Amino acid sequence: MYALIDCNNFFVSCERAFNPALRHRPVVVLSNNDGCVISRSNEAKALGIKMAVPFFQIRELVEQHHVAVYSTNFTLYGDMSDRVMKTLSGLVPDIEIYSVDEAFLHLHGIEDVASYSNHIVRTVTRNTGISVSIGVAATKTLGKIANHFAKKYKAYNHVCVIDNEEKLVKALQKTDIGDVWGIGRRHAKMLEYHGVKTAYDLTQKSRSWIRSKMTVIGERTWLELRGIACIEKDELQAKKKQICTSRSFGQPITEYNTLLESIASLAALSVAKLRKQKSVTKAVYIFAHTNRFGEEAYKSSKVVPLSFYTSDTGEIVGYCRQALDSIYVPHLEYKRAGVVLIDIIPEEYALRDFFDEKDRDKQQRLNRVLDEINKKNGRDAIKLAIQGDGYSKNIRQEHLSKRYTTNFDEIIEIKV
DNA sequence: TCTGGGGTCCTAGGACCC
DNA sequence: TCTGGGGTCCTAGGACCC
């Protein structure tokens, strides 16, 4: 049996954990630049605030109903996520972290799955202040469906187990096709056109029909819904094959130097992620776009092949600078930029190149020290001079909460 | 005035090779 | 009359996830 455990309205729950006054109030958390809504409390959902809606479109509603608004605070959410995952690891040995707020648990050998799931829910909530829901079933896709029910119906009390044929059929019949994990908007529309309205309808179609309409990916979903597990463990846990860091700017960038500082900072973040997963790269892709909603949207990008595999910040930033020089157009208002590392392999596969004259060991030691200092003292404690102020002054964050759990100056104060 | 960010996989089609 | 065929690699675009 697989369990999918998932934090309820995760980012909002993180804000609430440190600010009890937010309980029972509508709360939303915004994306980078305070652009779109990315997390909503149940009260905010009840007001009709949709996921991913641009903030400026709901401004009136927010004022009218005194909705509490927060800018995204990834330092806080990342740390809270770690706490939840650590608690889970202590309860179930076999866990796959799927996203910042979700994990699959393998429940083999556990006799009373339902009561153990209840125990997990209580423990996580007590240890972290974050409430969670669990769905248990024969496959991961069915676990997702069970989790849906656990959240949707209060009577389940955060835990839903699908463990017999009767429950399975009922659950499939009650699940809209668009709510199935792996079926997006386009496929849902196509399937509805062909009379497939629920998850149950999908399981009644032939395997070859699904294959021809939705490729092997759809076929896999079909199998999973019929109780045949085929989403492997490695698939969810593998090292990243691409690492991307990109940002939209609240304040567009025109100056070359400002854009260079931003690109250098985005590159430094990407390379830090690369080192964290113990990999190296041999190609970098950079891009800079103007406003995609404007009339004359302009996109430029460049792939830069590197001479040797590396994970050195300075070296990669140097290549990015060259690439930027060749694509930068004066007077344009750049609204979004990013640095993507492509052609990534684990560092142990990168053989020493005979023609490579750099002292890679020394470089590696230097980067390791850099990472340690930044881990302890905050992301930009040490950075390259070329990064300057980065993109920080071009980003809007008007509703930022404190980094309660990771920064001593911002720790919560209790007055007695 | 305002419109997120970070990933994965699959397929089709072009370039190129023998 | 009759203009091969198969393989590989790369890229762009589509679809999906949270």
Side-chain angles (χ1 to χ4, degrees), chain A residues 236-253:
Chain A
L236 299 177
Q237 299 227 302
K239 288 184 178 181
K240 305 264 182 281
K241 293 168 186 164
Q242 272 187 29
I243 291 174
C244 169
T245 308
S246 69
R247 289 290 181 278
S248 294
F249 309 121
Q251 190 66 28
I253 295 177

Side-chain angles (χ1 to χ4, degrees), chain A residues 19 58 61 81 114 135 150 168 253 259 264 277 307 311 317 330 384 407:
Chain A
N19 188 350
I58 56 160
L61 197 66
S81 174
L168 176 61
I253 295 177
L259 190 57
Q277 69 163 38
S307 314
S311 61
V317 167
L384 300 175
N407 196 304

Side-chain angles (χ1 to χ4, degrees), chain A residues 3-121:
Chain A
L4 173 69
I5 182 157
D6 168 314
C7 302
N8 303 328
N9 311 329
F10 183 52
F11 299 164
V12 165
S13 298
C14 292
E15 299 292 348
R16 276 180 171 167
F18 293 92
N19 188 350
L22 296 174
R23 278 179 211 168
H24 312 299
R25 251 187 92 180
V27 183
V28 295
V29 173
L30 305 179
S31 63
N32 184 38
N33 254 325
D34 295 346
C36 298
V37 172
I38 53 170
S39 182
R40 306 157 296 158
S41 70
N42 291 343
E43 298 80 3
K45 289 176 190 171
L47 288 175
I49 296 174
K50 298 266 181 267
M51 189 63 178
V53 68
F55 181 53
F56 72 89
Q57 291 177 2
I58 56 160
R59 199 153 266 174
E60 244 172 66
L61 197 66
V62 163
E63 273 167 30
Q64 222 177 340
H65 294 92
H66 305 288
V67 178
V69 177
Y70 285 88
S71 299
T72 187
N73 183 348
F74 257 99
T75 314
L76 176 65
Y77 311 152
D79 187 62
M80 293 302 280
S81 174
D82 282 349
R83 292 172 184 217
V84 170
M85 300 307 171
K86 281 202 181 105
T87 303
L88 289 176
S89 308
L91 292 164
V92 181
D94 212 349
I95 154 176
E96 292 172 69
I97 298 171
Y98 175 62
S99 74
V100 69
D101 70 332
E102 276 172 273
F104 286 102
L105 313 175
H106 298 242
L107 299 180
H108 27 241
I110 291 166
E111 273 183 24
D112 188 347
V113 166
S115 64
Y116 198 72
S117 297
N118 278 310
H119 171 63
I120 294 174
V121 169

Side-chain angles (χ1 to χ4, degrees), chain A residues 24-309:
Chain A
H24 312 299
R25 251 187 92 180
V27 183
V28 295
V29 173
L30 305 179
S31 63
N32 184 38
N33 254 325
D34 295 346
C36 298
V37 172
I38 53 170
S39 182
R40 306 157 296 158
S41 70
N42 291 343
E43 298 80 3
K45 289 176 190 171
L47 288 175
I49 296 174
K50 298 266 181 267
M51 189 63 178
V53 68
F55 181 53
F56 72 89
Q57 291 177 2
I58 56 160
R59 199 153 266 174
E60 244 172 66
L61 197 66
V62 163
E63 273 167 30
Q64 222 177 340
H65 294 92
H66 305 288
V67 178
V69 177
Y70 285 88
S71 299
T72 187
N73 183 348
F74 257 99
T75 314
L76 176 65
Y77 311 152
D79 187 62
M80 293 302 280
S81 174
D82 282 349
R83 292 172 184 217
V84 170
M85 300 307 171
K86 281 202 181 105
T87 303
L88 289 176
S89 308
L91 292 164
V92 181
D94 212 349
I95 154 176
E96 292 172 69
I97 298 171
Y98 175 62
S99 74
V100 69
D101 70 332
E102 276 172 273
F104 286 102
L105 313 175
H106 298 242
L107 299 180
H108 27 241
I110 291 166
E111 273 183 24
D112 188 347
V113 166
S115 64
Y116 198 72
S117 297
N118 278 310
H119 171 63
I120 294 174
V121 169
R122 282 195 306 272
T123 311
V124 173
T125 307
R126 190 191 60 213
N127 288 9
T128 66
I130 301 290
S131 85
V132 294
S133 300
I134 298 187
V136 183
T139 68
K140 290 178 181 169
T141 307
L142 292 171
K144 278 266 189 183
I145 286 180
N147 183 281
H148 235 89
F149 284 95
K151 276 216 172 101
K152 196 167 164 189
Y153 301 105
K154 270 210 160 131
Y156 282 115
N157 212 0
H158 300 295
V159 175
C160 171
V161 181
I162 298 177
D163 54 1
N164 65 42
E165 187 67 19
E166 191 193 338
K167 286 188 197 170
L168 176 61
V169 170
K170 207 170 158 192
L172 290 175
Q173 285 172 339
K174 281 191 147 191
T175 301
D176 289 340
I177 191 66
D179 290 337
V180 175
W181 189 41
I183 310 271
R185 274 219 313 276
R186 301 295 279 264
H187 280 153
K189 215 173 156 190
M190 181 276 293
L191 288 166
E192 276 164 24
Y193 173 80
H194 286 99
V196 177
K197 301 213 164 23
T198 66
Y200 181 78
D201 296 341
L202 191 78
T203 61
Q204 299 307 299
K205 284 283 178 187
S206 78
R207 186 170 179 170
S208 57
W209 188 85
I210 299 292
R211 170 86 187 232
S212 72
K213 297 276 186 207
M214 299 163 68
T215 80
V216 293
I217 304 270
E219 193 179 4
R220 206 171 66 170
T221 300
W222 181 85
L223 284 165
E224 283 253 324
L225 287 177
R226 292 168 69 108
I228 299 158
C230 45
I231 296 178
E232 300 294 329
K233 185 166 187 180
D234 292 344
E235 229 167 290
L236 299 177
Q237 299 227 302
K239 288 184 178 181
K240 305 264 182 281
K241 293 168 186 164
Q242 272 187 29
I243 291 174
C244 169
T245 308
S246 69
R247 289 290 181 278
S248 294
F249 309 121
Q251 190 66 28
I253 295 177
T254 301
E255 287 295 314
Y256 172 82
N257 277 328
T258 315
L259 190 57
L260 176 61
E261 288 178 358
S262 305
I263 289 280
S265 303
L266 294 167
L269 283 175
S270 280
V271 182
K273 292 180 203 169
L274 181 74
R275 284 196 297 267
K276 200 172 175 198
Q277 69 163 38
K278 300 196 190 309
S279 299
V280 287
T281 184
K282 211 182 171 186
V284 182
Y285 172 84
I286 79 162
F287 64 84
H289 300 168
T290 60
N291 189 353
R292 69 191 163 111
F293 298 100
E295 293 210 335
E296 287 175 32
Y298 180 85
K299 291 183 175 185
S300 51
S301 63
K302 190 169 173 70
V303 175
V304 193
L306 314 185
S307 314
F308 308 105
Y309 279 108

Side-chain angles (χ1 to χ4, degrees), chain A residues 358-393:
Chain A
K358 288 212 164 72
D359 184 346
R360 296 286 169 191
D361 291 335
K362 190 175 166 189
Q363 224 181 33
Q364 218 174 22
R365 287 200 301 275
L366 186 63
N367 280 307
R368 201 173 299 143
V369 171
L370 180 84
D371 290 337
E372 271 165 29
I373 293 175
N374 284 344
K375 190 177 169 192
K376 212 186 268 176
N377 301 284
R379 199 195 250 175
D380 282 335
I382 293 196
K383 61 184 171 184
L384 300 175
I386 199 175
Q387 289 176 238
D389 293 330
Y391 46 76
S392 57
K393 59 183 179 297

